[in-house]
């Protein structure tokens, strides 16, 4: 059982947290204007990265705050955690790689 | 009753006290400090059981948890199967018998207590042998928070089994001083009888403490029998020692065959001689200590058989003592019936076995080298490497926050273990930025004598003619060299496959003696290096742990929290039959004497439809949403418009996921411009709160809104039926309950004897109804006032079953029962609840997807069995017959399934709700539902079967 660093509370037991899937998948600004395919990508498609991955986590049995994390999906190790109101150091880079894999 | 093999003196046992125990029906004696195994050996008994598959006798082969042989069933003080005689501490009144590999669970429930403790430390040291004690002392002296756990009854590790000296005195005197010093550090937790059985991420280690087992029937009842320690350490030091391994030869399972180191343990720790006449077979120097110690204790050591052609520098020592040493020789087999009588010995050179002669003995001591106990390191995903010289697997890397020291790291001499333990602890402290202690003296150990190189020998060629079928690798599984040969012959290469094919290493001991042997023998058979074969994966638990201990206090009623409303005691007194809804206990119905559920529900339904009924709806989820942007958040999450709701009014709403599928529904009360109370389903309360907070935090952090669960802060009592207005009017005379003043889907604040009460005209039954909200402190009082006022109208408390019937008659779906995550509001016939005005809300875009436009989507409809008798089982499939009245050929297409089904008092017939492909276009059709092998014709109807105009509800 891992210790996960909540950016608000500090290290806490894994069981206090909820996984929220891939980070930086924003709700489209104008859903009515996107194509069915683009919408389907937002709703159904997520990256399945081996290695460093930007993810969302929620400290659901603690402060109940959502935060982002960079985690290695192969080793499970957390590299860093980020408050939502803080700069997201890896967001741009990961978002770009995501776009390049989209059709 | 006698203990002929007990030494006259020595050992760590309390000879002044005699314990009596029964094994296989025979009474024996022993002393505190004995294990069941040492006491049996003292009585001259090696055999404990018989083999599981083949039947020959099996005995005690080791002195602790690595023993593959001596399985016992405990009968008294409490039945417990599959324990090792070597790890059962002796106590008065113990009753046990040997087991051929399979035990029997107790038929009575275990009344002992089990618990768990969380503990956080800077440094956790596992193992209180010389390396572990040195590490613990260094860590403790630095002022760090330390835990030291060790699986034996007392500290000392290997020092308990020998005659080592430190600082010029017996080493155990140093152990005692170290333990005393640790006890003086307030930040040190020192636990004996505590086995660290699992090592996980981030310094998380699980350990099992056996707290009262050694006390037997004298165990105090208020003390937990076993405790799981959930240890979280910033740094873990693994000082778990090493397991001796045997060499495999023919008939090596015969009782009297034992690891050489175990014989030293039985002698020095328990004051027991394993026999009178010994042969010692070894590949390394360590067994010479066993030979010489036993000789000094009076055992006739017939020969030391050393497989190494050059033998050992310790040969002279033996010969001075009159012990014959045969170098370049091996034991090829044993003779005897229930116990060994002879060891078969032959010259051994270049892998060839010479002529065999038999040497008489009653005990054969074997040492094939030592396997470092790398289990905890490996469980933490540490990589291992095979050491050619030792013939063993060692840690191959440094792990963050976990280090290995002493024999577990391949350090086998006492002085080396002490300095290595100290070194590792200092490194751990440095990594934690804790200054290592200034004063940190180690005891002086004798200069180590460099041992001669061991010979790596996994097995002796089988010259017995048995073809390896009697050369046992895993005694507990009756698995032999021949079995490994068969596995390799069948084409298996991976050690994991060979383990599963042969079952080697899958017994209670998890391959402590057999695992590395299997790697070595497999590598030989495949002609590959042992490193390439590797080991099987080390998984927790290191030793078996009872489920009772893992469950701890989480048993029975404490297994999962039970949630009850403030009315619970009233419900119990009223004879309610309860059902579980999530963690809630809800009254399902209130049977009167002689009523079954069907009769009770028909009566309760009739009361609500014709008079007045009362429900405890307090389990409904309630979320208080506050803030200037509260209405904005609700507009984005509900399919309908909430911002237009007037203060004082109520609106029904549906929430969908981004995929457009319904996730919850309920009513919303607008309490103020910036405040709403949301009612969710009982089961969906936590999920809806999560959902709202997720969107508010992750997508719309600019919204000024907060959500709080207030489920437990309000009791909710629906008062339901045509006479509900009379009841509410009587209890709240200051409230104008006339329809014009208090219409459907509005709420009003009221007071009752100064207690604030909220009234809402909400109906989940289709009847005229009022919901009464009150602080649970006053719940029972208000409930009783309602009952009192309703007495003239025959007010009837009803449960969830009646609630379900009433709502189903009205076609109100239960999200999660009538839906399954693939159902849209449109599928439920609730297009009216989907706003066309709002530019967007969660789920809206998905409604335009092609799949959501399919006219053949499953839609919610009503079903009326034509026979007016059959209650369709929920979950039943729905099929359609061909025009000729025949079933289509298999596979018969399924149109959908029954989601809710009840008997209706109002309709005087059973009815059902169902999800049916293109259901609304089939209204009026007859379809079929298979029930108990016959096809029941049912008419498809609209989903609302009672009062479709809503005249009652609105009246
Ligand atoms: Zn937190």
């Amino acid at each position: 059982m891992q210790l996960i660093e909540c950016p608000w509370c500090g290290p806490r037991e894994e069981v206090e947290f909820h996984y929220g899937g891939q980070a930086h998948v924003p709700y489209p600004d104008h859903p009515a204007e996107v194509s069915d395919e683009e919408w389907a990508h937002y709703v159904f498609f997520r990256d399945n990265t081996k290695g460093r991955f930007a993810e969302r986590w929620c400290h659901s049995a603690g402060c109940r705050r959502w935060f982002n994390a960079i985690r290695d999906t192969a080793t499970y190790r957390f590299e860093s955690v980020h408050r939502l109101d803080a700069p997201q150091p890896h967001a741009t880079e990961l978002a770009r790689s995501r776009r390049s894999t989209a059709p | 009753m006698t203990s002929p093999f007990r030494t006259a003196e020595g050992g760590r046992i309390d000879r002044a006290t005699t314990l009596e125990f029964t094994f296989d029906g025979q009474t024996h004696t022993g002393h505190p400090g004995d294990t069941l195994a040492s006491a049996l050996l003292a009585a001259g008994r090696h055999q404990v059981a018989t083999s599981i598959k083949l039947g020959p006798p099996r005995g005690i082969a080791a002195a602790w948890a690595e023993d593959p042989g001596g399985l016992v069933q405990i009968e008294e003080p409490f039945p417990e199967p599959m324990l090792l005689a070597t790890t059962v501490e002796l106590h008065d009144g113990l009753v046990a018998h040997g087991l051929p590999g399979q035990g029997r669970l107790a038929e009575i429930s275990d009344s002992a207590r089990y618990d768990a403790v969380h503990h956080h430390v800077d440094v956790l040291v596992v193992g209180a042998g010389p390396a572990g004690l040195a590490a613990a002392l260094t860590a403790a002296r630095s002022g760090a928070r330390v835990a030291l756990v060790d699986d034996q009854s007392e500290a000392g590790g290997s020092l308990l089994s020998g005659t080592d000296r430190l600082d010029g005195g017996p080493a155990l005197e140093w152990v005692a001083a170290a333990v005393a010093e640790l006890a003086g550090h307030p930040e040190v937790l020192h636990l004996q009888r505590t086995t660290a059985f699992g090592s996980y991420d981030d310094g998380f280690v699980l350990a099992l403490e056996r707290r009262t087992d050694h006390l037997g029937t004298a165990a105090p009842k208020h003390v937990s029998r076993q405790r799981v320690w959930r240890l979280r350490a910033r740094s873990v030091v693994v000082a778990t020692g090493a397991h001796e391994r045997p060499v495999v030869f023919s008939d090596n399972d015969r009782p009297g065959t034992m690891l050489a180191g175990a014989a030293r343990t039985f002698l020095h720790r328990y004051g027991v001689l394993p026999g009178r006449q010994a042969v010692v077979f070894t590949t390394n120097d360590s067994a010479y200590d066993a030979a010489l110690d036993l000789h000094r204790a009076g055992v006739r050591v017939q020969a030391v058989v050393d497989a190494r052609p050059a033998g050992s520098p310790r040969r002279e020592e033996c010969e001075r003592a009159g012990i014959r040493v045969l170098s370049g020789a091996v034991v090829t087999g044993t003779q005897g019936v229930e116990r060994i009588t002879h060891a078969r010995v032959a010259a051994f050179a270049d892998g060839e076995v010479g002529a065999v002669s038999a040497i008489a003995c009653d005990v054969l001591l074997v040492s094939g080298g030592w396997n470092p106990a790398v289990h905890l390191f490996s469980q933490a995903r540490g990589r291992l490497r095979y050491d050619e010289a030792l013939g063993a697997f060692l840690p191959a890397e440094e792990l963050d926050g976990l280090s290995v020291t002493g024999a577990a790291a391949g350090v086998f001499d006492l002085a080396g273990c002490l300095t290595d333990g100290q070194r590792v602890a200092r490194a751990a402290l440095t990594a934690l930025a804790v200054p290592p202690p200034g004063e940190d003296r180690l005891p002086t150990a004798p200069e180590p004598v460099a041992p001669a190189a061991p010979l790596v020998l996994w097995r002796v060629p089988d010259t017995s003619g048995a073809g390896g079928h009697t050369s046992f690798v895993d005694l507990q599984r009756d698995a032999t060299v021949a079995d490994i040969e068969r596995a390799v012959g069948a084409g298996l290469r991976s050690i994991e496959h060979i383990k599963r094919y042969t079952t080697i290493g899958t017994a209670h001991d998890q391959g402590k003696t057999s695992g590395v042997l299997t790697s070595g023998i497999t590598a030989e058979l495949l002609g590959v290096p042992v490193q390439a074969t590797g080991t099987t994966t080390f998984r927790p638990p290191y030793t078996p742990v009872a489920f009772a201990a893992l469950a701890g206090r989480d048993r029975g009623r404490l297994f999962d929290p039970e949630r009850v409303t403030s009315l619970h005691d009233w419900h119990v007194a009223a004879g309610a039959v309860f059902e579980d809804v999530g963690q809630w206990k809800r009254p399902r119905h209130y049977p009167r004497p002689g009523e079954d559920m069907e009769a009770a529900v028909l009566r309760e339904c009739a009361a609500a439809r014709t008079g007045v009924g009362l429900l405890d709806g307090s389990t409904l989820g309630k979320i208080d949403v506050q803030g200037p942007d509260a209405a904005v958040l609700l507009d984005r999450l509900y399919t309908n418009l909430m911002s237009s709701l007037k203060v004082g009014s109520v609106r029904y709403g549906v929430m969908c996921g981004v995929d457009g599928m319904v996730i919850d529904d309920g009513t919303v009360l607008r309490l103020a411009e910036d405040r709403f109370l949301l009612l969710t389903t009982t089961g969906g309360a936590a999920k809806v709160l999560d959902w709202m907070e997720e969107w508010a935090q992750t997508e719309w952090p600019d919204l000024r809104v907060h959500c709080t669960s207030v489920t437990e802060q309000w009791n909710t009592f629906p008062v339901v039926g045509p006479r509900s207005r009379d009841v509410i009017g009587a209890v709240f005379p200051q409230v104008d309950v006339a329809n014009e003043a208090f219409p459907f889907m509005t709420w009003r604040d009221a007071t009752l004897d100064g207690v604030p009460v909220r009234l809402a005209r909400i109906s989940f039954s289709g009847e005229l109804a009022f919901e009464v909200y009150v602080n649970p402190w006053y719940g029972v009082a208000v409930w009783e006032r309602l009952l009192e006022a309703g007495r003239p109208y025959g007010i009837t408390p009803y449960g969830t079953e009646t609630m379900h019937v009433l709502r189903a008659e009205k076609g109100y779906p239960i999200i999660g029962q009538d839906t399954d995550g693939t159902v849209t509001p449109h599928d439920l016939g609730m297009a009216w609840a989907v706003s066309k005005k709002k530019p967007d809300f969660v789920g809206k875009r998905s409604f335009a997807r092609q799949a959501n436009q399919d006219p053949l989507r499953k839609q919610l409809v009503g079903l009326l069995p034509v026979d007016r008798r059959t209650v369709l089982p929920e979950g039943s499939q729905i099929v359609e017959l061909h025009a000729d009245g025949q079933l289509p050929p298999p596979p018969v297409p399924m149109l959908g399934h029954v989601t809710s089904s009840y008997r209706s008092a109002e309709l005087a017939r059973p009815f059902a709700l169902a999800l049916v492909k293109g259901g609304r276009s089939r209204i009026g059709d007859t379809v079929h539902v298979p029930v108990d092998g016959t096809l029941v014709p049912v008419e498809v109807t609209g989903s609302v079967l009672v009062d479709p105009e809503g005249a009652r509800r609105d009246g």
Side-chain angles (χ1 to χ4, degrees):
Chain A
M1 184 154 60
Q2 283 186 265
L3 277 185
I4 297 176
E5 179 93 18
C6 169
W8 301 91
C9 307
R12 292 291 188 275
E13 300 278 336
E14 179 186 323
V15 292
E16 295 183 13
F17 294 83
H18 230 94
Y19 183 59
Q22 183 172 3
H24 314 306
V25 184
Y27 190 74
D29 288 337
H30 302 287
E33 292 166 16
V34 302
S35 69
D36 273 7
E37 190 175 342
E38 285 167 322
W39 179 252
H41 269 270
Y42 166 70
V43 175
F44 300 113
F45 285 60
R46 294 294 182 272
D47 294 341
N48 187 18
T49 303
K50 181 177 180 184
R52 290 174 73 242
F53 193 44
E55 301 173 332
R56 306 187 314 153
W57 285 81
C58 180
H59 191 194
S60 43
C63 64
R64 293 191 63 78
R65 297 226 198 206
W66 284 86
F67 58 92
N68 290 331
I70 305 292
R71 192 182 64 107
D72 189 313
T73 60
T75 64
Y76 309 150
R77 308 310 301 177
F78 281 76
E79 186 179 297
S80 56
V81 293
H82 309 279
R83 283 162 46 159
L84 296 186
D85 59 358
Q88 306 290 316
H90 305 282
T92 358
E93 174 196 332
L94 285 154
R96 199 177 309 119
S97 76
R98 177 177 154 70
R99 220 168 299 135
S100 67
T101 58
Chain B
M1 288 277 292
T2 56
S3 303
F5 288 82
R6 186 74 74 179
T7 58
E9 56 185 20
R12 309 288 296 170
I13 50 170
D14 171 15
R15 291 175 190 255
T17 308
T18 297
L19 306 173
E20 210 170 80
F21 69 100
T22 307
F23 188 79
D24 279 355
Q26 272 188 307
T27 306
H28 299 281
T29 58
H31 302 290
D34 262 324
T35 61
L36 176 56
S38 68
L40 288 174
L41 288 176
R45 178 164 181 154
H46 271 251
Q47 183 188 343
V48 167
T50 51
S51 111
I52 182 166
K53 279 191 289 192
L54 308 174
R58 290 284 162 77
I60 296 157
W64 189 244
E66 65 274 27
D67 183 16
L71 277 184
V72 297
Q73 165 93 31
I74 306 295
E75 297 294 356
E76 298 287 344
F78 186 81
E80 196 172 6
M82 300 292 282
L83 297 183
L84 279 172
T86 51
T87 61
V88 172
E89 288 190 54
L90 198 67
H91 57 78
D92 222 18
L94 178 74
V95 178
H97 57 81
L99 275 185
Q102 253 174 348
R104 177 178 53 77
L105 287 171
E107 280 155 17
I108 52 173
S109 77
D110 187 350
S111 61
R113 294 177 74 123
Y114 300 84
D115 61 13
V117 173
H118 291 259
H119 193 70
H120 294 250
V121 293
D122 296 314
V123 180
L124 165 66
V125 180
V126 181
L133 280 174
L137 283 172
T138 295
R141 286 166 180 166
S142 76
R145 203 156 191 238
V146 178
L148 170 65
V149 303
D150 182 90
D151 59 357
Q152 303 290 323
S153 56
E154 59 177 319
S158 60
L159 301 176
L160 295 167
S161 301
T163 54
D164 293 288
R165 296 177 72 79
L166 286 170
D167 281 343
L172 292 178
E173 285 178 10
W174 172 77
V175 170
V179 168
E181 184 186 332
L182 291 171
H185 288 282
E187 289 295 318
V188 173
L189 171 76
H190 176 191
L191 300 167
Q192 291 295 145
R193 297 191 172 92
T194 303
T195 306
F197 63 81
S199 150
Y200 306 83
D201 304 289
D202 298 326
F204 188 60
V205 172
L206 290 179
L208 180 77
E209 182 186 9
R210 298 174 299 281
R211 305 182 77 207
T212 65
D213 287 351
H214 60 290
L215 302 173
T217 48
K221 286 276 174 262
H222 65 281
V223 176
S224 61
R225 179 187 174 216
Q226 295 179 352
R227 169 171 289 172
V228 173
W229 286 86
R230 304 167 66 88
L231 302 164
R232 180 74 76 169
R234 297 170 70 204
S235 187
V236 180
V237 175
V238 175
T240 44
H243 296 133
E244 196 168 16
R245 68 163 180 264
V247 180
V248 177
F249 47 83
S250 179
D251 296 319
N252 58 339
D253 63 328
R254 188 159 275 134
T257 309
M258 181 185 281
L259 290 168
R264 283 190 92 203
T265 300
F266 286 119
L267 172 63
H268 293 301
R269 187 161 170 198
Y270 302 105
V272 170
L273 300 176
R276 304 268 184 239
Q277 249 188 350
V279 168
V280 179
F281 172 32
T282 188
T283 62
N284 62 86
D285 281 4
S286 72
Y288 284 79
D289 288 323
L292 288 160
D293 288 355
L294 289 179
H295 166 76
R296 284 182 206 115
V299 175
R300 182 177 166 78
V301 179
Q302 299 278 62
V304 173
V305 180
D306 193 326
R308 296 170 291 183
S312 165
R314 304 194 63 185
R315 176 190 190 115
E316 270 178 43
E317 210 180 329
C318 285
E319 285 174 346
R320 274 201 306 275
I323 301 172
R324 184 161 57 125
V325 177
L326 305 170
S327 299
V330 290
V331 169
T332 62
T334 64
Q335 291 169 217
V337 185
E338 301 225 315
R339 169 104 178 243
I340 189 167
T341 58
H342 292 80
R344 297 171 62 80
V345 175
F348 181 67
D350 303 325
E352 297 292 319
V353 175
V356 172
S357 60
I359 302 177
C361 63
D362 62 356
V363 62
L364 168 60
L365 306 182
V366 184
S367 178
W370 295 81
N371 297 326
V374 293
H375 302 68
L376 296 178
F377 170 81
S378 185
Q379 287 170 14
R381 291 190 224 118
R383 258 185 318 111
L384 300 174
R385 69 174 174 85
Y386 179 70
D387 186 293
E388 294 278 353
L390 285 175
F393 288 89
L394 290 174
E397 61 180 332
E398 303 259 322
L399 293 183
D400 260 0
L402 187 144
S403 40
V404 186
T405 182
V411 179
F412 290 104
D413 69 285
L414 177 54
C417 283
L418 292 166
T419 50
D420 195 55
Q422 186 184 65
R423 177 189 67 80
V424 161
R426 292 178 83 89
L429 292 170
T430 305
L432 300 179
V434 177
E439 179 55 38
D440 192 18
R441 199 189 82 84
L442 284 177
T444 313
E447 253 329 279
V449 183
L455 176 73
V456 177
L457 178 67
W458 311 113
R459 56 175 176 150
V460 173
D462 187 1
T463 54
S464 72
H469 284 281
T470 60
S471 300
F472 289 91
V473 178
D474 186 335
L475 271 67
Q476 190 51 227
R477 286 287 184 242
D478 280 333
T480 63
V481 169
D483 292 319
I484 300 179
E485 284 171 341
R486 189 182 307 120
V488 169
L492 304 183
R493 296 294 178 269
S494 156
I495 196 70
E496 298 284 2
H497 291 158
I498 287 164
K499 167 181 174 171
R500 282 146 186 90
Y501 190 86
T502 59
T503 72
I504 289 173
T506 60
H508 67 276
D509 59 318
Q510 290 286 291
K512 287 185 180 64
T513 53
S514 59
V516 177
L517 286 176
T518 307
S519 296
I521 294 169
T522 301
E524 262 177 23
L525 293 172
L526 290 172
V528 299
V530 180
Q531 174 73 43
T533 309
T535 66
T536 55
T537 308
F538 290 91
R539 290 193 182 85
Y542 168 71
T543 49
V545 179
F547 282 117
L550 294 175
R553 302 291 304 277
D554 302 333
R555 297 162 58 168
R557 291 196 67 191
L558 296 181
F559 176 68
D560 198 32
E562 281 177 12
R563 301 175 79 184
V564 297
T565 74
S566 66
L567 269 290
H568 190 73
D569 290 346
W570 189 94
H571 298 318
V572 172
V577 173
F578 289 88
E579 73 166 334
D580 292 337
V581 182
Q583 291 171 329
W584 288 102
K585 296 282 174 200
R586 297 198 69 179
R588 191 172 188 192
H589 58 102
Y590 300 84
R592 287 184 179 163
E595 278 184 342
D596 59 8
M597 184 169 91
E598 189 180 316
V601 169
L602 286 172
R603 171 178 55 74
E604 292 174 10
C605 284
R609 289 260 185 254
T610 60
V612 59
L614 182 60
L615 174 73
D616 181 4
S618 304
T619 63
L620 275 182
K622 303 170 203 82
I623 300 170
D624 191 343
V625 184
Q626 297 189 41
D629 295 320
V632 179
L633 179 66
L634 299 193
D635 272 352
R636 292 182 187 179
L637 292 178
Y638 278 103
T639 58
N640 44 356
L641 201 57
M642 288 297 173
S643 52
S644 62
L645 185 63
K646 290 187 173 49
V647 174
S649 285
V650 180
R651 188 164 288 166
Y652 173 79
V654 176
M655 279 190 195
C656 291
V658 288
D659 58 359
M661 303 304 160
V662 176
I663 56 174
D664 206 65
D665 72 341
T667 46
V668 176
L669 283 65
R670 189 161 202 169
L671 304 181
E673 276 306 311
D674 59 353
R675 188 170 184 189
F676 295 81
L677 179 69
L678 271 56
L679 301 175
T680 73
T681 58
T682 295
K687 193 180 67 182
V688 172
L689 181 65
D690 287 350
W691 181 245
M692 297 179 74
E693 289 187 335
E694 179 181 339
W695 285 94
Q697 289 183 39
T698 64
E699 281 295 339
W700 309 312
D702 52 312
L703 294 186
R704 293 157 300 165
V705 59
H706 292 275
C707 306
T708 306
S709 167
V710 291
T711 300
E712 315 253 357
Q713 278 67 30
W714 292 99
N715 275 152
T716 307
F717 305 142
V719 183
V720 173
R723 306 314 294 264
S724 58
R725 180 172 282 131
D726 301 297
V727 176
I728 296 297
V731 176
F732 302 96
Q734 78 277 29
V735 177
D736 184 350
V737 293
N739 196 38
E740 306 71 42
F742 193 170
F744 181 57
M745 293 305 251
T746 61
W747 63 268
R748 301 289 179 260
D749 273 334
T751 57
L752 188 56
D753 292 352
V755 174
V757 175
R758 182 169 293 146
L759 304 173
R761 273 198 62 189
I762 297 171
S763 178
F764 192 45
S765 57
E767 292 301 321
L768 175 68
F770 293 79
E771 289 186 349
V772 179
Y773 292 79
V774 65
N775 181 318
W777 286 108
Y778 306 103
V780 174
V782 170
W783 176 269
E784 286 178 340
R785 293 281 190 96
L786 293 167
L787 284 177
E788 184 60 34
R791 187 156 304 155
Y793 316 107
I795 193 167
T796 302
Y798 67 88
T800 50
E801 193 66 18
T802 293
M803 176 190 82
H804 278 287
V805 178
L806 298 177
R807 65 88 200 171
E809 289 172 340
K810 289 289 295 177
Y812 297 154
I814 296 271
I815 305 307
Q817 173 168 338
D818 298 296
T819 71
D820 61 1
T822 66
V823 179
T824 67
H826 310 85
D827 299 336
L828 294 174
M830 288 188 180
W832 55 268
V834 178
S835 168
K836 300 200 172 48
K837 287 186 208 149
K838 288 195 285 184
D840 192 36
F841 55 81
V842 171
K844 180 181 169 78
R845 176 64 184 81
S846 286
F847 296 151
R849 295 181 68 240
Q850 198 180 359
N852 288 44
Q853 306 287 323
D854 183 353
L856 287 184
R857 289 184 64 78
K858 289 183 183 171
Q859 295 163 335
L860 189 72
V861 292
L863 297 181
L864 290 173
V866 173
D867 65 4
R868 303 181 74 92
R869 275 196 331 272
T870 306
V871 180
L872 304 172
E874 288 173 356
S876 296
Q877 295 291 330
I878 297 162
V879 299
E880 189 174 33
L881 303 187
H882 277 322
D884 60 2
Q886 297 301 305
L887 259 185
V892 180
M894 298 296 167
L895 296 186
H897 69 281
V898 175
T899 59
S900 293
S901 177
Y902 309 98
R903 204 177 285 283
S904 168
E906 178 79 8
L907 302 172
R909 64 188 294 183
F911 73 105
L913 295 177
L915 286 171
V916 178
K917 277 184 190 167
R920 281 198 291 278
S921 67
R922 293 179 180 270
I923 288 174
D925 291 0
T926 298
V927 293
H928 287 77
V929 175
V931 179
D932 292 337
T934 59
L935 288 172
V936 176
V938 299
E939 184 194 340
V940 180
T941 70
S943 57
V944 186
L945 292 161
V946 170
D947 187 26
E949 301 79 27
R952 298 186 190 178
R953 177 193 73 185
D954 301 341

